[in-house]
Amino acid sequence: AAGVIQSPRHLIKEKRETATLKCYPIPRHDTVYWYQQGPGQDPQFLISFYEKMQSDKGSIPDRFSAQQFSDYHSELNMSSLELGDSALYFCASSPTGTTGMNTEAFFGQGTRLTVV
Amino acid sequence: GESVGLHLPTLSVQEGDNSIINCAYSNSASDYFIWYKQESGKGPQFIIDIRSNMDKRQGQRVTVLLNKTVKHLSLQIAATQPGDSAVYFCAEPPSRTGNQFYFGTGTSLTVIP
């Protein structure tokens, strides 16, 4: 079965550089979530999209932006990278269930970003 | 806002023993919960879910119990195996489509051979 695909799997950037992370949700999933997870920490919600519109926003820095495209894939753009941005970045997708609410979220394998 | 949290950050069990991981939630209107397993360096994986019209649900070697009175749920793993070593999160899907999933603090389970 198709899963959530994230690219790249690993990324090394220098401080002040820019990075773009991509997420391809499971087909027919209309909601995408982005989470950041530092070493030994819980996933921290960044932002979500539903039907290509921003739906919810968490602790996403102003240096970061994201969007969901017409084919439902999403990109997280990170600028002026800082050492503290080094983390695993997860994307998840979710379908809307018969009740009109999101059901379970399926996670990708993540992109490990290292800022040096 | 809603919060979902776990009682203990770490748990060590002997191989073959049963494991119990607990989770508390604060929103009495919550009606759907999911347990995720996250192995090191990997994304969280769905284990089992439960809706508020149930108080127990069983899967393969896993059972989730929901106590709505005290807003508590637990994940029980029978005959714990080394492959069960991971961080376990309880999560609550959003009350509004597209809003964030709330994750509780993970419990790191270590299985001792």
Side-chain angles (χ1 to χ4, degrees):
Chain A
V4 177
I5 305 297
Q6 289 188 247
S7 68
R9 290 294 310 278
H10 303 273
L11 190 59
I12 299 175
K13 290 286 186 178
E14 295 187 352
K15 284 193 303 183
R16 293 179 289 277
E17 283 193 318
T18 298
T20 298
L21 279 52
K22 297 184 179 182
C23 170
Y24 297 87
I26 293 172
R28 292 180 294 281
H29 283 198
D30 49 20
T31 304
V32 166
Y33 311 86
W34 285 98
Y35 285 83
Q36 177 192 59
Q37 187 176 34
Q41 297 181 3
D42 304 324
Q44 296 297 313
F45 173 73
L46 294 177
I47 196 167
S48 62
F49 293 88
Y50 169 61
E51 283 293 341
K52 294 157 279 185
M53 299 287 289
Q54 181 182 310
S55 180
D56 197 5
K57 198 171 182 181
S59 53
I60 183 169
D62 292 339
R63 300 177 288 108
F64 295 5
S65 65
Q67 60 182 126
Q68 186 178 30
F69 294 86
S70 58
D71 63 352
Y72 292 94
H73 94 272
S74 179
E75 295 184 3
L76 178 66
N77 298 296
M78 311 160 71
S79 62
S80 302
L81 287 168
E82 302 172 357
L83 295 178
D85 296 328
S86 296
L88 266 171
Y89 289 83
F90 290 106
C91 169
S93 72
S94 177
T96 298
T98 55
T99 60
M101 300 302 298
N102 286 125
T103 57
E104 65 171 293
F106 296 82
F107 284 80
Q109 289 303 299
T111 293
R112 182 174 293 280
L113 173 66
T114 303
V115 181
V116 297
Chain B
E2 299 91 334
S3 70
V4 183
L6 296 174
H7 291 312
L8 298 172
T10 61
L11 177 65
S12 295
V13 298
Q14 289 289 141
E15 181 178 358
D17 287 352
N18 296 335
S19 303
I20 299 177
I21 300 171
N22 297 304
C23 180
Y25 62 96
S26 60
N27 184 4
S28 57
S30 300
D31 61 0
Y32 181 45
F33 300 93
I34 300 171
W35 281 98
Y36 284 93
K37 172 186 179 184
Q38 186 178 24
E39 296 175 272
S40 180
K42 296 184 178 180
Q45 290 181 291
F46 171 91
I47 302 175
I48 192 168
D49 59 359
I50 190 167
R51 297 196 177 273
S52 60
N53 60 351
M54 307 169 72
D55 53 19
K56 180 179 180 179
R57 189 164 190 216
Q58 286 185 294
Q60 187 177 16
R61 286 200 304 116
V62 295
T63 301
V64 56
L65 301 177
L66 175 61
N67 186 329
K68 295 179 285 294
T69 303
V70 296
K71 292 184 284 188
H72 177 274
L73 63 160
S74 65
L75 177 71
Q76 300 179 2
I77 305 174
T80 314
Q81 302 170 358
D84 295 327
S85 293
V87 177
Y88 291 82
F89 296 95
C90 60
E92 179 185 354
S95 57
R96 190 165 72 90
T97 301
N99 280 14
Q100 66 172 298
F101 271 67
Y102 291 94
F103 280 89
T105 299
T107 292
S108 177
L109 174 66
T110 300
V111 180
I112 304 167

